[in-house]
Amino acid sequence: MINILEVNETNKMIEKDNLDVRTITLGINLMDCIDSDLKRLKEKIYEKITKTGKHLVSTGKEIESEYGIPIVNKRISVTPIALLGGDACKDPEDFVTLAMTLDEAAKNVGVHFIGGYSALVSKGMTKAEKNFLYSIPKALSVTDRVCSSVNLGSTKTGINMDGVRLMGDILLETAKASKEKDSIGCAKLVVFCNAPDDNPFMAGAFHGISEADQVIHVGVSGPGVVKNALEKVRGENFEILCETIKKTAFKVTRVGQLVAKEASKRLGIPFGIIDLSLAPTPAVGDSVAEILCEMGLEYAGAPGTTAALAILNDQVKKGGVMASSYVGGLSGAFIPVSEDQGMIQAVEAGALTLEKLEAMTCVCSVGLDMIAIPGDTKASTISGIIADEMAIGMVNQKTTAVRIIPVIGKGVGDKVEFGGLLGFAPIMPVNTFSCADFVNRGGRIPAPIHSFKN
């Protein structure tokens, strides 16, 4: 049981250290909505989402008010739409209408985002799944709250390089479709290797086919809490450093556990998982990069950054798993550029490059996240960046992802303003040497030898 002392300590962390619950996400299984008639399919999807999610936002607000814990976002994730539209959707335009249905349902129940406009194509693609992929640019340009993801690889299946090549084109088309808003459509699109079924964070959230009919997931935050704790042990050895992070992660995760259990009880929906990921914001003092600096680095990106991030990620997990019965999702530390003031400063100082970020993703919980690149970057180059990140996930048996934004009309030296939690970012340079012949080979990169464990 969570007692009043924990609640009081939590309130202090909220007031002083920007602690919040980043998201409460309701997962909804839509498999029972499948219908060969497109109109009927859309009706079923809309009805199930609005019926199941009608009390999510009000319940979240009740918990916020009662416990004084900020819940930044209320979200819904659904079964990957590419799995539902195979019979009813004959072309990309049909899939776009499903995206619009999701958007209407999200607005009806008042959630900030709805995830699950997704496809799982790590080994190959059906005709319907190709139509789905081609629908993404328009779907994200005509909707406000829909988020999209595509899983292109896994440790068990390898990397679908046909999908990787195609997603380079899709990303550029998505950027062009929202060029009047600094290509923000790409901020709602992420590609994965080893995508988890229970991720509550956008843009990658979807309700996996292994999940229950309905489930509540919670994503915690708290970089400011960790940084504040480390300030008190400045200069101490690594044992004390690790213990401090671990104990702090335990306290932060207990907040998520409280919110998840309360939401589950009040909504009558099973509790799923707590995602331990430290999710930064553009606010000063709420930065993962500032944690790394507090550990002894001049800037994120300096030599030692990957080791420091590995420590942070591991100790967050160790502390978090002691605080919750069920931990899942991504769980670790996000390192987005635009959403983290410390990361932005590191890029502006020249301490942090795209290549260093890629190295850091070997030990963090996600991947290349919210990185703005020149709008004239070639599609094949984007595909090559995706392939590199997929390979890191595949070989290391971990989730990796790419959410990069080719900002049409802007280049290195420019800045782009996304607003809100998405923040702003400097345009980062990209290696311009060609990889076109590599990504155009086609087919699939085989799974690594350690994948064969049957």
Side-chain angles (χ1 to χ4, degrees):
M1 292 292 291
I2 296 173
N3 59 48
I4 192 64
L5 293 177
E6 287 183 272
V7 173
N8 289 337
E9 186 175 29
T10 296
N11 287 334
K12 291 179 182 178
M13 292 189 289
I14 291 167
E15 293 172 5
K16 296 180 180 180
D17 306 321
N18 296 316
L19 175 64
D20 59 51
V21 169
R22 185 52 44 85
T23 177
I24 176 172
T25 301
L26 169 61
I28 304 174
N29 188 331
L30 299 181
M31 294 298 286
D32 57 353
C33 297
I34 292 176
D35 199 295
S36 59
D37 180 81
L38 181 58
K39 181 180 178 181
R40 184 64 184 141
L41 172 62
K42 290 189 291 185
E43 289 172 350
K44 288 180 178 179
I45 289 173
Y46 183 85
E47 181 181 357
K48 185 162 188 182
I49 293 172
T50 54
K51 181 179 180 180
T52 308
K54 62 183 178 180
H55 297 304
L56 176 65
V57 173
S58 60
T59 299
K61 289 180 178 179
E62 287 172 7
I63 295 171
E64 283 184 281
S65 177
E66 194 168 323
Y67 290 95
I69 300 172
I71 303 174
V72 179
N73 283 294
K74 292 83 177 176
R75 300 162 170 171
I76 287 175
S77 63
V78 298
T79 306
I81 291 299
L83 297 176
L84 307 179
D87 291 333
C89 297
K90 307 305 181 186
D91 54 41
E93 287 294 327
D94 287 344
F95 276 108
V96 171
T97 65
L98 288 185
M100 295 170 69
T101 299
L102 294 179
D103 204 45
E104 291 170 8
K107 290 174 179 176
N108 178 289
V109 298
V111 293
H112 297 91
F113 294 107
I114 185 165
Y117 196 72
S118 308
L120 309 178
V121 292
S122 64
K123 199 171 184 179
M125 293 180 286
T126 64
K127 181 180 178 180
E129 286 166 335
K130 284 185 179 180
N131 282 333
F132 171 83
L133 295 184
Y134 284 123
S135 79
I136 290 174
K138 184 173 182 180
L140 295 182
S141 69
V142 300
T143 59
D144 297 315
R145 308 189 188 192
V146 172
C147 290
S148 180
S149 61
V150 181
N151 191 67
L152 295 172
S154 77
T155 300
K156 294 295 289 184
T157 63
I159 303 171
N160 178 358
M161 287 302 293
D162 291 326
V164 168
R165 180 192 56 77
L166 181 57
M167 284 308 298
D169 294 323
I170 298 298
L171 264 164
L172 273 184
E173 289 301 314
T174 303
K176 292 174 183 176
S178 56
K179 64 181 180 180
E180 304 304 324
K181 298 181 180 179
D182 284 333
S183 302
I184 197 171
C186 294
K188 299 186 291 180
L189 172 60
V190 59
V191 295
F192 278 114
C193 179
N194 291 321
D197 281 357
D198 52 9
N199 167 26
F201 286 103
M202 300 296 170
F206 62 85
H207 188 73
I209 57 175
S210 64
E211 295 290 301
D213 191 48
Q214 303 160 22
V215 69
I216 290 289
H217 301 313
V218 166
V220 298
S221 184
V225 182
V226 176
K227 180 179 180 295
N228 181 269
L230 292 184
E231 287 175 356
K232 299 172 183 176
V233 296
R234 189 173 293 168
E236 297 287 355
N237 63 34
F238 283 107
E239 181 182 358
I240 294 175
L241 174 74
C242 292
E243 284 297 308
T244 302
I245 297 172
K246 186 165 58 177
K247 291 176 181 177
T248 306
F250 176 89
K251 296 174 183 177
V252 170
T253 306
R254 291 294 277 177
V255 176
Q257 179 82 354
L258 168 63
V259 170
K261 288 291 188 181
E262 280 297 312
S264 173
K265 181 174 69 175
R266 298 182 189 199
L267 291 169
I269 294 174
F271 161 52
I273 58 94
I274 302 293
D275 189 313
L276 307 176
S277 299
L278 294 178
T281 73
V284 175
D286 200 25
S287 161
V288 170
E290 289 178 6
I291 296 174
L292 303 180
C293 291
E294 186 58 45
M295 293 168 75
L297 304 173
E298 183 178 6
Y299 280 104
T305 296
T306 305
L309 185 59
I311 292 170
L312 177 63
N313 214 49
D314 185 52
Q315 298 308 313
V316 165
K317 291 176 189 282
K318 286 175 177 174
V321 296
M322 294 298 293
S324 176
S325 303
Y326 297 104
V327 171
L330 300 165
S331 289
F334 286 118
I335 52 171
V337 173
S338 77
E339 300 173 6
D340 187 312
Q341 184 64 40
M343 299 289 280
I344 295 168
Q345 292 171 351
V347 172
E348 291 177 334
L352 192 60
T353 64
L354 191 61
E355 287 74 21
K356 184 60 176 179
L357 279 165
E358 183 180 299
M360 293 164 67
T361 65
C362 296
V363 299
C364 79
S365 60
V366 199
L368 298 172
D369 194 21
M370 287 302 293
I371 298 169
I373 62 174
D376 60 359
T377 304
K378 295 179 180 178
S380 59
T381 298
I382 295 173
S383 293
I385 293 170
I386 292 172
D388 285 342
E389 199 60 35
M390 300 300 99
I392 290 172
M394 176 183 73
V395 172
N396 290 293
Q397 305 179 70
K398 67 185 293 294
T399 300
T400 51
V402 174
R403 185 165 54 147
I404 56 176
I405 305 167
V407 184
I408 305 301
K410 293 193 176 182
V412 176
D414 294 328
K415 292 184 180 179
V416 57
E417 180 71 47
F418 298 120
L421 284 176
L422 298 180
F424 72 97
I427 306 294
M428 297 185 69
V430 173
N431 190 319
T432 57
F433 288 94
S434 177
C435 62
D437 290 345
F438 177 74
V439 299
N440 287 329
R441 282 179 176 272
R444 178 162 51 99
I445 294 177
I449 187 65
H450 59 252
S451 68
F452 304 110
K453 295 183 177 180
N454 289 339

